[in-house]
Amino acid sequence: MKVVALVSGGKDSCYAMMRCIDYGHEIVALANLMPLDDSVDELDSYMYQTVGHQIVVGYAECMGLPLFRRRIRGSTRHQHLNYKMTSGDEVEDMFVLLNEVKKQIPSIAAVSSGAIASDYQRLRMESVCSRLGLVSLAYLWKQDQTLLLEEMIERGIIAITIKVAAMGLNPAKHLGRELVDLRPYLLQIKELCGINVCGEGGEYETLTLDCPLFKNARVFLDKFEVILHSPDNIAPVGFLHPLAFHLQRKMELLSSGSCDIGSGKVGYVCEVQGDSTPDNIVCSLSACSQLCNCTTKNLNLCISRSSRDMFSIGCWIQNVSKTLDGLQEDLISVLGKIESKLNEDGFDWLNVIYIHLYISNMKDFALANEVYVKFITEKKCFLGVPSRSTIELPLVQVGLGNAFVEVLVANDHGKKVLHVQSISCWAPSCIGPYSQATLHGEVLHMAGQLGLDPPTMTLRSGGPAIEIEQALLNSEAIANCFNSSLVSCAILLTVYCAASLTLRGRTEIQHKMESFFDDGSDSIDVKRVSSPIFLYILAPALPKGALVEVKPVLYIPENRDYGIGNNLLGSDSKEMVWDFQTYTVSGKICAALVSITKDVAAKICPNTEPELISGDNIRMIAKFCVFLINKVLVDNYLFWGDLMHLKFYYTAYLSMTADTLNLIFYEVFAAFAEDSKSFEMGKEPIFSLIPVLSSGRSASMEDIITCELFASKL
């Protein structure tokens, strides 16, 4: 992509440009924000480094690129972490600046920044990029700062400290020092005082004098003044005020002469004027309302709802005629119906924690996203957009429409959302209205993870084992942001395998999954860890042509002293014919998986060929599943009202439609509810029936029906 790089004069923004080039991007312009008054060095800003702004003008000639600059007219007005467009805020100056760059260079597709750890800066950068239709590139994000400092120095960045403001750093001793000389001392006070060695906490700021990207010239600071801003005894603050500099051309190795500050522009520099403009790039929120009004389909709404904090809503189009509408119409109908149901009950998309998006053809993935963003927007979900997974399922084959959506809803707004839209080396970005993970009630719901290489956002090559390994590493990086890990906290991992995989390929995935958790348990307290549940699902296709996608659910307790239990019962028991696995946290949550294999079905329905399962056989299997679900709940001191979701995955090769199957299960549940008085059965079922190619607790995926339940008292 063609990139405009935000430069402050510091080492981080310069190294971020180098990383962009490492990953095949092209820097075509520079952009910088500076104070209104040239004589002012530092602003009270959480967003911008302005100390040394007098030197940045020289970067245009050093790199041979156009430099766009804007004077900062705004101030910090919107102080919440998640930024909302606010007139007069300093972020709007960045919007005006980058908007002008985009107008003058329409081929620009991305913006580079040097953000390392500040969510405040990253979220504002992403907000501006989203409004302008640009991609945020943050290749230093979440990287180890000690390693970053080493890399910057080793790769030829020559930078001096231009501001110090931390315990252990003295303006008289440490201002103007080159990083290469100061590195040992920075590492020392990191150990003693816990500073960020890259200065990400404001401990110090730098001015880059030379780097490999400065092809034409380097900067020499000829004259400066030391300003003692705060003579604190513990952490004094001071900075350098540049008075004169010159550029030394690299080709001629001759000085171009001294340049007093303010004597004129060096290279091609464009100062961007104008006030912040109204944001007319964001889609109108009324668009989805207009779309919703066209729904006249036979929609079957499934609800699994408890009286507690969480419940599920599923929606699909049932009893479809042979003349099918396209995905766009079907998805509009389904999302519109869900939105209406949420509003009916006093909720909206802000309450949604997670979304499963099932579509009939992965070739329509882009079209599905176009519809999706009309309903789920960052403006509606200002606390954070829901996490999401998307797979193709054999919907049409069983008589359903082209779209099937499940949403997990919270009764409150107590969620914590991780939504990183910047492309980085940390984990795959989520560019759009879905997040990497959402934490609610001590349960972390993670978006489906592919085997994407984060900095390039392309699938790792080498086969299914390589893809699942990368997907697990991506998941681990996300878990680490919540001070957790997959090995110690995973409850349930759903592994979607593409139908193109052979049994050997699926087996490789299973072995890699098992070894990841077996090897990882060596570094943690295994006494407090229970084996997570693995659910394997065979799907016709996955996004980006991936071979595998993993969707983890984690338990992240507020109090680490908790008891976890794991129970695995096999069908080889002489006393029992069932095959199920549970994961429980005493008194809090229970996840369970019930497998109805051909062998189990044969014991439930004697004298019946597995390939010739009738409606009566399905009824017996459904009764058996209800019995086991009730047993799991009772054994773990839970009630039917504690269910967050209840799903039945069934093979699409059963000789009956989804409509018939749904009717049988509904009747069985209704009869049990009436007999046991355990729950009330309304018009809508409390479960979802989801068609798949196959499913199971192993890569062989031999289940006829797999039941997944999740119950919680949190």
Side-chain angles (χ1 to χ4, degrees):
M1 290 185 288
K2 293 186 184 298
V3 178
V4 54
L6 284 171
V7 291
S8 62
K11 66 187 187 320
D12 300 339
S13 57
C14 286
Y15 192 53
M17 286 192 289
M18 294 173 65
R19 280 283 186 89
C20 285
I21 293 171
D22 289 343
Y23 293 112
H25 304 298
E26 179 186 1
I27 310 295
V28 297
L30 307 175
N32 170 251
L33 289 132
M34 58 183 179
L36 270 174
D37 186 344
D38 283 338
S39 65
V40 173
D41 291 279
E42 185 173 39
L43 299 178
D44 184 16
S45 170
Y46 292 112
M47 275 297 296
Y48 310 120
Q49 172 186 324
T50 55
V51 178
H53 68 86
Q54 301 90 341
I55 308 298
V56 175
V57 67
Y59 286 9
E61 187 167 327
C62 288
M63 294 185 66
L65 293 174
L67 170 64
F68 294 82
R69 308 190 81 186
R70 176 174 171 82
R71 298 186 184 276
I72 302 168
R73 293 166 170 78
S75 58
T76 304
R77 295 196 176 185
H78 191 282
Q79 298 182 356
H80 297 291
L81 183 60
N82 289 307
Y83 181 72
K84 180 181 179 182
M85 186 183 68
T86 303
S87 179
D89 194 279
E90 61 185 351
V91 174
E92 298 308 308
D93 287 299
M94 186 198 302
F95 176 85
V96 175
L97 174 64
L98 294 177
N99 190 38
E100 182 62 28
V101 176
K102 188 179 177 184
K103 285 181 180 177
Q104 294 200 29
I105 311 176
S107 60
I108 283 177
V111 182
S112 167
S113 67
I116 298 176
S118 171
D119 283 308
Y120 183 92
Q121 293 174 353
R122 174 186 59 79
L123 287 167
R124 281 152 176 73
M125 184 72 251
E126 291 173 352
S127 173
V128 169
C129 286
S130 177
R131 290 159 58 189
L132 291 171
L134 298 171
V135 176
S136 171
L137 302 177
Y139 286 121
L140 310 189
W141 180 251
K142 291 290 183 184
Q143 299 299 288
D144 182 277
Q145 292 189 40
T146 301
L147 294 178
L148 275 180
L149 184 63
E150 297 285 343
E151 290 175 8
M152 291 177 192
I153 294 170
E154 289 175 5
R155 294 190 61 177
I157 288 182
I158 298 175
I160 61 170
T161 50
I162 198 167
K163 177 186 173 182
V164 294
M167 183 184 298
L169 292 175
N170 189 317
K173 294 181 181 179
H174 302 117
L175 277 176
R177 295 275 302 275
E178 284 196 17
L179 274 184
V180 65
D181 298 326
L182 204 55
R183 172 176 53 182
Y185 184 68
L186 290 173
L187 294 174
Q188 180 183 347
I189 59 174
K190 175 203 169 192
E191 297 302 321
L192 292 174
C193 307
I195 72 161
N196 295 283
V197 292
C198 279
E200 185 66 4
E203 293 87 348
Y204 69 92
E205 292 177 0
T206 59
L207 176 67
T208 301
L209 303 178
D210 195 13
C211 79
L213 300 183
F214 290 6
K215 301 296 184 183
N216 299 330
R218 64 152 290 168
V219 177
F220 280 93
L221 186 58
D222 300 320
K223 189 177 180 182
F224 57 82
E225 179 183 0
V226 175
I227 306 294
L228 188 60
H229 181 72
S230 173
D232 187 87
N233 290 330
I234 298 175
V237 179
F239 56 82
L240 299 183
H241 173 69
L243 297 173
F245 75 97
H246 75 273
L247 303 181
Q248 178 173 294
R249 298 188 179 279
K250 292 187 175 181
M251 296 299 293
E252 301 170 2
L253 297 180
L254 294 173
S255 170
S256 62
S258 180
C259 174
D260 290 334
I261 300 300
S263 65
K265 298 177 181 177
V266 179
Y268 170 41
V269 179
C270 172
E271 185 164 330
V272 177
Q273 304 291 338
D275 297 325
S276 55
T277 54
D279 187 359
N280 49 20
I281 297 174
V282 179
C283 298
S284 169
L285 293 179
S286 62
C288 64
S289 301
Q290 297 169 10
L291 291 173
C292 297
N293 293 332
C294 65
T295 66
T296 57
K297 295 178 178 296
N298 178 15
L299 295 178
N300 193 340
L301 184 66
C302 158
I303 300 175
S304 171
R305 178 166 181 170
S306 73
S307 58
R308 303 183 188 279
D309 291 336
M310 303 280 281
F311 60 93
S312 302
I313 297 177
C315 189
W316 60 89
I317 299 171
Q318 197 162 351
N319 196 22
V320 177
S321 64
K322 292 183 179 179
T323 56
L324 288 169
D325 286 332
L327 172 69
Q328 184 176 25
E329 293 81 1
D330 287 357
L331 189 53
I332 288 171
S333 298
V334 168
L335 290 174
K337 183 70 173 180
I338 291 175
E339 187 172 78
S340 297
K341 181 60 182 175
L342 287 170
N343 294 338
E344 255 178 55
D345 295 340
F347 303 111
D348 53 35
W349 293 108
L350 181 62
N351 296 89
V352 175
I353 302 295
Y354 201 93
I355 297 179
H356 289 92
L357 175 60
Y358 306 127
I359 57 179
S360 62
N361 193 330
M362 194 54 68
K363 292 179 181 178
D364 294 328
F365 181 65
L367 181 61
N369 270 336
E370 287 180 17
V371 175
Y372 186 89
V373 299
K374 301 295 184 183
F375 288 87
I376 297 94
T377 66
E378 292 183 24
K379 193 165 186 178
K380 288 181 180 180
C381 306
F382 57 86
L383 294 177
V385 288
S387 303
R388 188 185 84 178
S389 67
T390 305
I391 63 170
E392 179 182 324
L393 289 181
L395 303 175
V396 177
Q397 292 90 316
V398 297
L400 301 179
N402 292 287
F404 184 140
V405 176
E406 290 183 296
V407 296
L408 183 62
V409 187
N411 284 332
D412 57 35
H413 295 159
K415 63 182 180 181
K416 181 181 178 182
V417 178
L418 177 66
H419 184 201
V420 179
Q421 299 184 67
S422 300
I423 295 178
S424 68
C425 298
W426 161 72
S429 65
C430 288
I431 303 174
Y434 54 96
S435 61
Q436 278 89 354
T438 303
L439 178 66
H440 184 276
E442 299 186 350
V443 178
L444 183 69
H445 306 269
M446 200 178 296
Q449 295 298 311
L450 304 177
L452 292 170
D453 177 45
T456 62
M457 289 297 289
T458 57
L459 287 168
R460 291 281 306 276
S461 59
I466 300 298
E467 280 194 33
I468 188 61
E469 181 178 39
Q470 185 63 55
L472 290 170
L473 290 174
N474 295 339
S475 301
E476 183 68 12
I478 295 168
N480 291 165
C481 290
F482 294 87
N483 297 317
S484 65
S485 72
L486 287 182
V487 176
S488 62
C489 299
I491 300 171
L492 169 68
L493 292 103
T494 304
V495 184
Y496 300 107
C497 297
S500 59
L501 281 171
T502 62
L503 177 58
R504 179 178 178 180
R506 302 199 302 266
T507 303
E508 287 180 17
I509 290 172
Q510 181 177 341
H511 289 163
K512 185 63 71 172
M513 291 285 296
E514 292 169 351
S515 65
F516 182 89
F517 283 87
D518 290 343
D519 295 344
S521 65
D522 294 339
S523 60
I524 61 174
D525 182 2
V526 294
K527 292 182 181 179
R528 297 172 63 184
V529 175
S530 180
S531 299
I533 298 172
F534 294 159
L535 168 61
Y536 293 87
I537 292 175
L538 191 65
L542 301 174
K544 296 182 177 289
L547 298 175
V548 62
E549 175 179 338
V550 62
K551 182 178 71 70
V553 178
L554 282 67
Y555 172 58
I556 304 178
E558 295 177 0
N559 178 4
R560 294 287 171 167
D561 295 325
Y562 55 90
I564 290 181
N566 186 267
N567 188 21
L568 179 63
L569 296 176
S571 58
D572 57 345
S573 170
K574 294 180 180 179
E575 299 179 357
M576 297 172 286
V577 299
W578 51 82
D579 184 2
F580 72 90
Q581 183 180 2
T582 62
Y583 184 109
T584 61
V585 180
S586 180
K588 290 188 174 184
I589 61 176
C590 175
L593 213 61
V594 179
S595 294
I596 307 297
T597 62
K598 290 181 180 179
D599 290 340
V600 172
K603 293 178 181 179
I604 298 171
C605 312
N607 306 318
T608 300
E609 292 294 328
E611 291 77 13
L612 301 174
I613 292 178
S614 66
D616 289 339
N617 299 141
I618 290 294
R619 189 176 300 275
M620 293 176 67
I621 291 172
K623 288 180 179 180
F624 186 76
C625 288
V626 172
F627 164 76
L628 280 185
I629 293 166
N630 188 66
K631 175 178 172 54
V632 168
L633 293 173
V634 171
D635 288 351
N636 290 283
Y637 306 101
L638 294 165
F639 302 97
W640 284 84
D642 296 320
L643 280 174
M644 282 169 49
H645 69 245
L646 179 59
K647 305 180 185 184
F648 292 92
Y649 301 95
Y650 66 95
T651 174
Y653 301 115
L654 285 176
S655 55
M656 61 187 66
T657 64
D659 194 15
T660 302
L661 199 64
N662 191 69
L663 180 60
I664 293 171
F665 270 79
Y666 179 85
E667 290 173 349
V668 169
F669 271 83
F672 180 83
E674 185 174 349
D675 293 342
S676 67
K677 309 301 181 185
S678 300
F679 60 95
E680 293 183 7
M681 191 75 167
K683 292 181 179 179
E684 297 94 0
I686 64 167
F687 54 82
S688 292
L689 288 168
I690 303 171
V692 296
L693 297 181
S694 59
S695 60
R697 291 197 294 106
S698 69
S700 59
M701 294 183 249
E702 297 176 341
D703 291 5
I704 298 170
I705 293 175
T706 307
C707 172
E708 174 197 337
L709 74 85
F710 197 105
S712 172
K713 287 185 177 294
L714 295 173

